[in-house]
Amino acid sequence: MPRVNRTLVFVLLLVSSCAFLLFQIYYYRNYVSKQTGLHLLNPAGHVTSSQVQRQTLKKFLALAQHFRLAVFLADTTVLTLLSQDALWHRDRMIREPHCSFLCTGRPITSFALQANQWKLNPGFLLAAEQKGFELLEVRGHDPRLASLDTLSGEEIPLHFLFRLHGYIIHVVLLYERSGNYLWHGALRIKANMDRSFAPFKLLDYGRHAGAYDRPELILTVIDSLDIRVPRNISHFLMQQQRARYLECRYHDARSFLQLYPDDSSTAAVEFRRKAKALLNLAARTLGELDIPFWISSGTCLGWFRQCSIISYSQDVDIGIFITDFRPDIAEAFRDAGLSLKHKFGKVEDSLELSFLGEDIKLDIFFFYKDGGIMWNGGTQAKSGRKFKYIFPSFSLCWAELLEVKVRVPCETLDYVMANYGATWSIPVRSWDWKSSPSNVMENGVWPMAEWAGLIEVY
């Protein structure tokens, strides 16, 4: 019986093994790797999701560049990694060597785009489809076209979600509003939409509408990809955390004004003009000091009830948390052209400032936190009597009043009802600040020996 040539057998086995391996590679590249949700092989032969994520981003960014869509990175996880502290620590982070920042392990990457750059270009969507992307478009009513006369504007695109290989690229459209800021709408899934298209609970944007200052963008290189990012990343991230926006309730406001028509007299129109100028000045002055404020009292009631200012109120009311007080507030308003009318209380208790501009007052009430409640104080100048106004705890949202971007209590109804009671929707022209509010209570008397420093009227 002839002896088996071991060398020949070894060579045959080696050739067949190589042929089988080449077939596997060919099959994977041409069939398996094109299936949604599967991953590529890195040079070492290991399956990695990072390379898939990076390739997905690379395809999307190439498309955006080709169609001149200046998308910018808005993903909070990636931007946090790009912050100065994260960069300092990056050598300690265990990540893919060529995808240190963009491959976060999350199935979503968020971008934003100013809507005036977006053209409903079927070529872009067709090209994305040809590259393998699936698209989910979320539309909603354009609030810029809503008014007391027209309660619903036309529908506009608000969010685009592109899906490839199981990864989602979320594009948020930012629209310019009349108060010189950018706005995005909430993401609301409609009945005919695929709720399994994306992990919607993981989205950075869309749980509510948001408002932003217009960011300055820079083009940089991240993980070998050209990407635009906000120049001031920390500021953008801080805005994102506090971006929630409340739209004016035009439907309820129109119902109110049908019952109680607005004053259209020359005096009322002139007051609204002055109030708008004063509110704009307050927003600009406090913005330069980096002091957040919100519209309070009658000014807040006017926004909530009738989407405007109450013409017979004859003042503008704002609130500031006492923790945000700065001693140069009065000087800043004087430099802006307002005169100090009175100063009541002290930083530790019941501080209140009032300024005068164009014959109307700007009243600033400072709010104190006490357990689960908020309160601001009031002082009667002639008697030294103190008053306290109690509010349930609240957070702040953005809104627009008289084409000025302002903050309001997010829990606006609770805030208004605390101050004006269950009958807040009925106009009251005769108002006594010491007894009319539902939340007012006596709070003692300032010692007469301290009046000189606690009750200052100019």
Side-chain angles (χ1 to χ4, degrees), residues 165-191:
H165 297 311
Y167 286 96
I168 300 295
I169 294 177
H170 180 197
V171 179
V172 184
L173 292 182
L174 299 173
Y175 290 85
E176 294 188 23
R177 298 292 294 260
S178 55
N180 194 30
Y181 60 95
L182 300 177
W183 167 92
H184 72 74
L187 193 158
R188 298 290 179 260
I189 302 299
K190 298 181 180 179

Side-chain angles (χ1 to χ4, degrees), residues 191-228:
N192 61 340
M193 291 183 178
D194 182 4
R195 293 180 176 273
S196 65
F197 187 89
F200 293 101
K201 291 183 179 180
L202 298 181
L203 296 180
D204 285 337
Y205 303 87
R207 281 184 290 276
H208 46 67
Y212 293 80
D213 297 332
R214 187 175 286 100
E216 181 183 358
L217 303 176
I218 59 173
L219 182 63
T220 187
V221 178
I222 304 173
D223 295 334
S224 302
L225 297 177
D226 294 337
I227 297 182
R228 290 177 179 82

Side-chain angles (χ1 to χ4, degrees), residues 380-386 444-455:
Q380 186 179 37
K382 64 180 181 181
S383 66
R385 292 169 63 196
K386 298 170 59 182
V445 180
W446 293 112
M448 188 172 293
E450 300 178 16
W451 282 18
L454 298 174
I455 304 175

